[in-house]
């Protein structure tokens, strides 16, 4: 075991110079990991969480860690948590609350004291339980690789060893440890898997943990191949256009398992109702999907994704110099005789200041809006203008108009209304820039 443990550390780039923060509960798993690190002269400090869930036992665990650390002159950190209150406040289970509190604190220590790694004592049985937990709740391939030996700065050097391996090591090396009585409480799902489901599975295959370990290794390799394939498909199918992303629906449908590919493409943006999105492919344009950060719409032969588009309006006073909406909009006034219109970009609207009535209004366009496009005599509905310009649905949704006395002065960043254009007699220019 020692030889394999040291090889594992080497494989994940842990050296004798690495500064490790060891999560130490006092149970057999973490005490074995501590002993292995201590015996082989690795640099580590100890962090112990007292979740205050088991009364006197929790305090005895804390005393045990404190005494052990002091006797070996090892730096240790102890913190008590009101786990039940945190769980109630955040409406999560006790186990999820403990996990959040634990890792938030560990990461704070990691940053504050400049550790290189956080080490936990997860082992092969934990990994098997994790896979079964994911299978019961439903999962994709990412839920089948078990617990990774390294995840950025978090390392789990014991994940290749079974619980039996650790108990045997503890026995052979006279390692003291605490027993957590809550591990036998089957009200927790993981405990139920460990204490009820796995024993039944072992009746079928006594070598279950070892067999599952080999399967985990194979699935990890399959996941690597899958992820590379998905990355290639993202490059091919997910096309970025400024701040938008487009997916060619016809190209997607030609892929093997197009619904699964769709999931991988849009789940990164927080869209998970794959069946609804997939069914929209046979619907007319205009089907919309929303979440807190992104907006997605089926527009003809494409799915188009952009950041969430809020339907906000803004009052613009004479002294307003800028606003932030979907884009930054800046306002300034210039003397017409000193202003060179020819040097202005297409994102600059130049209006006759004398024709404006403040306050102005910036708002999204709406059905029925019309204006007189610069250079034309007659009025044109914005909806018809968008058709002529072949606007996408997202372009329409992002369109903002500047209003003066209930008249559209311009489509911001696109087209001026002829009624507000500069003429020879103009004295001041109102400049709107995006």
């Amino acid at each position: 075991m020692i030889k394999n443990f040291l090889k594992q550390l080497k494989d994940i780039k842990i050296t004798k110079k690495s500064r490790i923060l060891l999560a130490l509960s006092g149970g057999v798993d973490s005490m074995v990991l501590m002993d292995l690190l201590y015996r082989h002269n690795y640099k580590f400090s100890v962090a112990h969480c007292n979740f205050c869930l088991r009364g006197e036992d929790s305090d005895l665990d804390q005393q045990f860690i404190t005494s052990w650390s002091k006797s070996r002159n090892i730096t240790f950190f102890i913190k008590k948590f009101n786990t039940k209150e945190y769980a109630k406040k955040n409406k999560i289970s006790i186990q999820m609350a403990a996990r959040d509190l634990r890792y938030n604190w560990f990461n704070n220590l990691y940053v504050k004291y400049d550790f290189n790694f956080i080490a936990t004592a997860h082992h092969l049985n934990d990994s098997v339980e994790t896979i079964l937990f994911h299978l019961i709740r439903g999962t994709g391939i990412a839920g089948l690789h078990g617990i990774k030996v390294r995840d950025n700065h978090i390392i789990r050097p014991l994940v290749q060893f079974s619980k039996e391996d650790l108990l045997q090591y503890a026995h052979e090396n006279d390692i003291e440890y605490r027993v957590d009585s809550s591990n036998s409480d089957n009200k927790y799902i993981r405990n139920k898997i460990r204490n009820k489901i796995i024993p039944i599975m072992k009746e079928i295959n006594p070598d279950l943990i070892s067999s599952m370990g080999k399967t985990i290794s194979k699935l990890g390799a399959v996941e690597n191949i899958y992820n590379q394939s998905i990355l290639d498909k993202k490059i091919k199918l997910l096309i970025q256009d400024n701040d938008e992303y487009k997916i060619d629906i016809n190209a997607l449908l030609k892929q093997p398992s197009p619904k699964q590919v769709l999931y991988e493409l849009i789940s990164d943006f927080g869209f998970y109702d794959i069946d609804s999105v997939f069914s929209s492919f046979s619907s007319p344009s205009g089907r919309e999907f929303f979440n807190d950060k992104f907006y997605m719409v089926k527009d003809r032969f494409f799915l188009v994704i952009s950041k969430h588009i809020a339907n906000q309006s803004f009052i613009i006073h004479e002294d307003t110099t800028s606003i932030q909406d979907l884009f930054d909009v800046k306002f300034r006034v210039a003397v017409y005789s000193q202003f060179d219109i020819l040097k202005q970009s297409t994102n600059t609207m130049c209006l006759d200041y004398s024709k404006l009535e403040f306050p102005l209004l910036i708002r999204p366009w709406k059905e029925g809006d019309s204006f007189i496009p610069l250079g034309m005599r007659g009025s044109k509905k914005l909806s018809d203008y968008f058709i002529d310009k072949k606007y996408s649905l997202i372009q329409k949704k992002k369109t903002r108009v500047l209003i003066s006395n209930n008249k559209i002065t311009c489509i911001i960043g696109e087209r001026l209304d002829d009624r507000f254009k500069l003429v020879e007699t103009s004295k001041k220019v109102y400049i709107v820039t995006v």
Side-chain angles (χ1 to χ4, degrees), residues 369-373 376-382 384 417 419:
D369 276 346
S370 62
F371 78 133
I372 302 175
M376 296 179 63
R377 294 183 179 180
S379 177
K380 192 177 189 72
K381 285 188 176 182
L382 263 65
D384 293 334
D417 185 294
R419 294 168 292 183

Side-chain angles (χ1 to χ4, degrees), residues 29-71:
D29 310 333
S30 60
M31 292 304 292
V32 165
L33 178 55
M34 172 280 302
D35 187 80
L36 286 164
L37 292 173
Y38 184 75
R39 285 175 184 265
H40 295 92
N41 301 313
Y42 284 89
K43 295 180 181 178
F44 68 94
S45 299
V46 164
H48 174 74
C49 301
N50 184 343
F51 294 111
C52 300
L53 293 173
R54 295 181 292 114
E56 184 182 2
D57 280 348
S58 291
D59 294 330
L60 290 174
D61 290 348
Q62 178 177 324
Q63 292 172 21
F64 174 70
I65 297 300
T66 301
S67 175
W68 183 92
S69 301
K70 284 182 176 180
S71 69

Side-chain angles (χ1 to χ4, degrees), residues 28 32 164-177:
V28 63
V32 165
E164 289 72 21
D165 293 332
L166 304 189
L167 288 168
Q168 182 179 345
Y169 180 91
H171 175 73
E172 292 174 352
N173 292 278
D174 296 320
I175 296 174
E176 292 184 78
Y177 59 87

Side-chain angles (χ1 to χ4, degrees), residues 309-318 320-331 357-365 398-404 412 430 432:
I309 303 170
N311 290 321
Q312 288 181 289
S313 298
F314 297 87
I315 301 296
I316 309 300
H317 298 280
E318 285 189 82
T320 300
T321 57
S322 67
I323 63 163
Q324 283 189 324
D325 188 15
L326 293 172
F327 32 73
D328 293 336
V329 186
K330 296 180 180 179
F331 311 93
E357 295 185 31
F358 286 89
L360 308 177
L361 173 68
I362 288 182
R363 64 164 173 79
W365 81 283
K398 288 182 176 181
T399 295
R400 296 293 182 266
V401 292
L402 181 65
I403 307 294
S404 173
I412 296 176
Y430 190 68
V432 182

